[in-house]
Amino acid sequence: MAWKRVKKDQYDDFLPDILDLRDITHDEKNTIDNIKGKLDQGYEPFPPLYIDVPKKGYAPRPGCALMPEDRIVYQAVVDYISNSVEKPPPSACFSHRLNPKSDSSQMFLFWRNWWLKMRKSMRETYANGYHCLLKTDIAAYFEQIDHQIFITHLLNGKVKEGEVIYLLRKLLSKWAISDIKHIGIPQGCDASTFIGNVYLIDLDKNMIRQGFKYFRWADEIYVLTKNKPMARQAMQVITHQLRKLHLNIQETKTDIITKPSRIMAEIGTEEEDKKRDFDYEFKRKVKRGEVEEPEERIIEEYNKVTRNGKAKEVDGSKLKWCVNRLAKIRNDIATDFLLRRLADFPFLAALSFKYLQIFADTESVKDKIIDFLVSEDNIYEWQEMWLLFTLSKAKKLDDKHLQVLRSIIMKKEKHWASRAAAIFALGKLGDDTDRKWIRDLYRDEDNNYLKRAIVISVHNLPKSVRNSFYTEVKKDSYNIGRLVKYLRQEHIETI
């Protein structure tokens, strides 16, 4: 069950798997049996792989990628304890509600429905005379979660301190964000999302107990009160409760709002909620290629949001709405705007990839990506990685493009994720001399993500040459052996 959930959960991973974990799917039974064997012997997790992911304000947050086996074990442990842990009160916490169907591949109920419920409830509360809004956010939330507090206090003896809890302690300690071994959990996976959500249960219950009209979505908190003194009192209660959890509010995102127009801008209207960006990969029962809006409506909205491609500032949510739909209808109107604004929108790198990959064989797209990669604006390795993956979707690259890929691969100081993406692109679009050079890099690399990219990227070598290499490396680890087994299938001619 954990494996099914991990497969379902990979759509928004900070670090994409080049094969979408198809090698594990192909060898599913042996993978699960191998994990069970390791559990019997005392499971030892791999170190996490970190990459800084830029936020909207340009400050980076630590993105984390776990090895697939580790992620399966982590998910299984959290699935197990989730049956016993107290759930956040639904009248206060609307995010990441646990799916009551324990055999579902979706750990959480569909988030959009709960987001709409929260917004509707906030509007009803406002209409009932609560005309003052406290808005706040928790600083560095996942990085500050204390393992000891979660395990000893929040589990509260409901899950006995046995093998499962021992294993959870070991996993979290290995992946601690801080040098302090019991602080911080990895972001970007459902298991951590569950822990993060229940970590604030005491805050939720305390705010309800004191009669506040309190609403929480993950680490974003809203309290509607009748006046400013009550809002300040709510802020004091929140601050004291968070201190007990070794957390702090983010002052720059904290505000007490009384102006009706500003409150309405925060809580919105039902009509506005329907127009908010809900990426198509999140939507259920939408067939491939189906777009609800006509092309004219999408283009009209895009021109409005970007002021015909000339806007200096744009609403990120509305831009996502447009780009997702333009990608579905394969309309290239946004390519120039996104490429000109790469330095301004590093936090939209994954979204830009989904759109720009469609037009990756256009010369202007390739040239502008290369120009950005060699410019001083290229400072976020996460964005660099996605741009390199975009280039890999082209059918052909000129030698000037390939030379930039070679240069990135050669620079050991470059982030391993960028080098892995460049290796994949060069292995796919370079020549056999490039692939042999990539092959010879294998023994000098110790990063698992990078090694995986190398093994995949040499697949387009002549069969006898690549198979000789595969025979050499398949015993390096179980993961590489499984990957080689998958790549050697006769029907997989090219990647």
Side-chain angles (χ1 to χ4, degrees):
M1 179 52 62
W3 163 230
K4 289 179 181 179
R5 289 184 166 181
V6 167
K7 277 195 293 185
K8 203 76 172 178
D9 185 33
Q10 65 170 319
Y11 65 85
D12 60 350
D13 286 355
F14 290 127
L15 288 165
D17 184 79
I18 295 170
L19 292 178
D20 294 325
L21 303 178
R22 293 195 300 273
D23 53 320
I24 300 181
T25 302
H26 179 256
D27 203 32
E28 185 175 296
K29 184 180 184 304
N30 287 333
T31 297
I32 298 301
D33 288 344
N34 181 62
I35 291 173
K36 289 178 179 178
K38 288 182 178 179
L39 286 168
D40 289 339
Q41 299 165 15
Y43 192 85
E44 291 296 333
F46 288 91
L49 302 173
Y50 286 113
I51 184 169
D52 280 341
V53 179
K55 295 189 287 188
K56 192 172 182 179
Y58 302 103
R61 58 174 169 166
C64 176
L66 307 177
M67 292 292 287
E69 286 86 349
D70 287 349
R71 193 160 168 182
I72 294 168
V73 171
Y74 186 30
Q75 182 67 48
V77 168
V78 171
D79 281 341
Y80 178 82
I81 67 171
S82 69
N83 295 319
S84 303
V85 174
E86 183 180 0
K87 310 304 183 293
S91 63
C93 174
F94 292 80
S95 60
H96 309 111
R97 304 301 307 181
L98 200 64
N99 194 334
K101 297 179 180 178
S102 59
D103 61 344
S104 172
S105 61
Q106 298 275 5
M107 185 177 189
F108 303 117
L109 294 171
F110 189 34
W111 69 271
R112 182 177 184 266
N113 298 335
W114 284 85
W115 186 83
L116 291 173
K117 284 181 182 179
M118 183 182 78
R119 302 274 289 183
K120 181 180 179 181
S121 183
M122 289 175 69
R123 286 192 288 269
E124 290 173 348
T125 302
Y126 179 79
N128 287 330
Y130 291 81
H131 293 166
C132 182
L133 174 65
L134 166 64
K135 175 186 176 183
T136 190
D137 193 286
I138 299 174
Y141 182 39
F142 280 86
E143 296 105 289
Q144 299 300 323
I145 288 177
D146 190 307
H147 311 165
Q148 308 278 33
I149 291 176
F150 174 73
I151 291 173
T152 61
H153 177 53
L154 294 178
L155 295 186
N156 199 23
K158 293 177 182 177
V159 181
K160 292 183 179 179
E161 184 78 30
E163 289 180 283
V164 174
I165 297 303
Y166 174 77
L167 181 56
L168 179 60
R169 287 184 184 275
K170 180 186 282 190
L171 295 173
L172 294 180
S173 178
K174 186 78 171 183
W175 305 331
I177 307 296
S178 167
D179 290 336
I180 304 171
K181 288 300 182 183
H182 62 86
I183 300 293
I185 63 175
Q187 297 187 50
C189 57
D190 281 352
S192 287
T193 299
F194 175 80
I195 290 177
N197 207 35
V198 300
Y199 193 76
L200 296 175
I201 283 178
D202 280 358
L203 170 63
D204 298 338
K205 292 193 300 185
N206 199 26
M207 292 299 288
I208 292 173
R209 190 181 302 118
Q210 296 198 36
F212 289 107
K213 303 299 182 182
Y214 163 90
F215 307 86
R216 178 169 68 82
W217 186 272
D219 58 345
E220 295 178 1
I221 296 169
Y222 303 88
V223 184
L224 280 158
T225 66
K226 292 189 173 182
N227 51 52
K228 268 192 171 184
M230 290 178 67
R232 288 193 287 265
Q233 182 185 356
M235 187 73 260
Q236 189 175 35
V237 174
I238 291 170
T239 302
H240 289 166
Q241 189 64 45
L242 288 179
R243 283 176 186 165
K244 295 178 183 178
L245 299 171
H246 298 171
L247 299 172
N248 296 288
I249 64 162
Q250 194 156 217
E251 292 185 10
T252 56
K253 292 187 177 182
T254 299
D255 198 5
I256 294 176
I257 307 169
T258 56
K259 192 174 181 179
S261 61
R262 287 191 59 203
I263 293 178
M264 292 310 298
E266 291 290 342
I267 64 179
T269 66
E270 184 176 353
E271 189 62 28
E272 287 173 342
D273 285 351
K274 291 178 181 178
K275 294 180 181 179
R276 288 289 293 268
D277 171 61
F278 297 114
D279 293 357
Y280 272 83
E281 57 265 52
F282 291 112
K283 293 187 73 172
R284 296 180 180 178
K285 299 179 182 178
V286 174
K287 295 179 181 178
R288 184 178 179 84
E290 179 184 342
V291 178
E292 296 173 339
E293 298 79 15
E295 183 171 359
E296 296 79 10
R297 153 92 171 98
I298 298 169
I299 294 174
E300 179 185 356
E301 186 65 21
Y302 167 77
N303 287 329
K304 180 180 176 182
V305 169
T306 64
R307 295 178 189 170
N308 294 314
K310 298 178 181 179
K312 291 184 178 180
E313 295 184 8
V314 297
D315 184 308
S317 180
K318 291 179 179 178
L319 181 62
K320 287 181 183 180
W321 188 97
C322 297
V323 171
N324 275 310
R325 284 150 182 80
L326 289 170
K328 284 292 179 179
I329 61 176
R330 305 180 75 83
N331 185 301
D332 67 354
I333 190 174
T335 53
D336 184 62
F337 180 73
L338 289 175
L339 289 166
R340 281 190 290 108
R341 304 296 297 277
L342 287 173
D344 300 323
F345 302 140
F347 54 93
L348 295 179
L351 175 73
S352 296
F353 163 75
K354 292 173 188 176
Y355 178 71
L356 293 173
Q357 67 169 328
I358 301 169
F359 314 104
D361 218 41
T362 306
E363 287 303 317
S364 61
V365 171
K366 291 186 283 189
D367 287 343
K368 288 176 181 177
I369 288 176
I370 289 295
D371 289 345
F372 181 82
L373 290 174
V374 299
S375 75
E376 61 181 11
D377 287 323
N378 178 24
I379 60 173
Y380 296 102
E381 54 263 16
W382 188 70
Q383 182 183 35
E384 181 177 59
M385 174 194 72
W386 282 115
L387 289 172
L388 289 164
F389 276 129
T390 303
L391 289 175
S392 75
K393 296 297 183 178
K395 294 179 182 178
K396 181 182 178 182
L397 293 179
D398 295 338
D399 190 61
K400 65 178 181 179
H401 303 144
L402 294 172
Q403 193 54 45
V404 172
L405 300 182
R406 297 181 189 115
S407 174
I408 290 172
I409 295 168
M410 285 189 291
K411 292 178 181 177
K412 289 279 190 176
E413 67 274 16
K414 281 282 187 182
H415 194 279
W416 47 264
S418 295
R419 293 183 66 222
I423 283 171
F424 177 64
L426 186 63
K428 183 179 177 182
L429 300 167
D431 56 25
D432 281 350
T433 301
D434 288 317
R435 296 181 190 105
K436 288 177 182 177
W437 173 57
I438 290 171
R439 175 199 62 187
D440 294 340
L441 296 174
Y442 183 88
R443 290 298 176 191
D444 293 330
E445 303 296 344
D446 56 7
N447 180 280
N448 288 308
Y449 192 85
L450 205 51
K451 282 189 168 186
R452 184 173 172 84
I454 292 172
V455 173
I456 294 170
S457 298
V458 303
H459 188 74
N460 291 344
L461 279 169
K463 189 177 290 188
S464 61
V465 179
R466 82 177 185 221
N467 282 348
S468 175
F469 172 69
Y470 285 168
T471 299
E472 178 187 345
V473 302
K474 69 178 182 179
K475 295 181 180 178
D476 273 8
S477 68
Y478 178 82
N479 293 332
I480 294 297
R482 179 182 58 213
L483 177 58
V484 166
K485 180 180 177 181
Y486 175 73
L487 293 173
R488 273 182 161 169
Q489 293 177 95
E490 289 302 317
H491 66 272
I492 300 179
E493 292 302 329
T494 59
I495 299 297

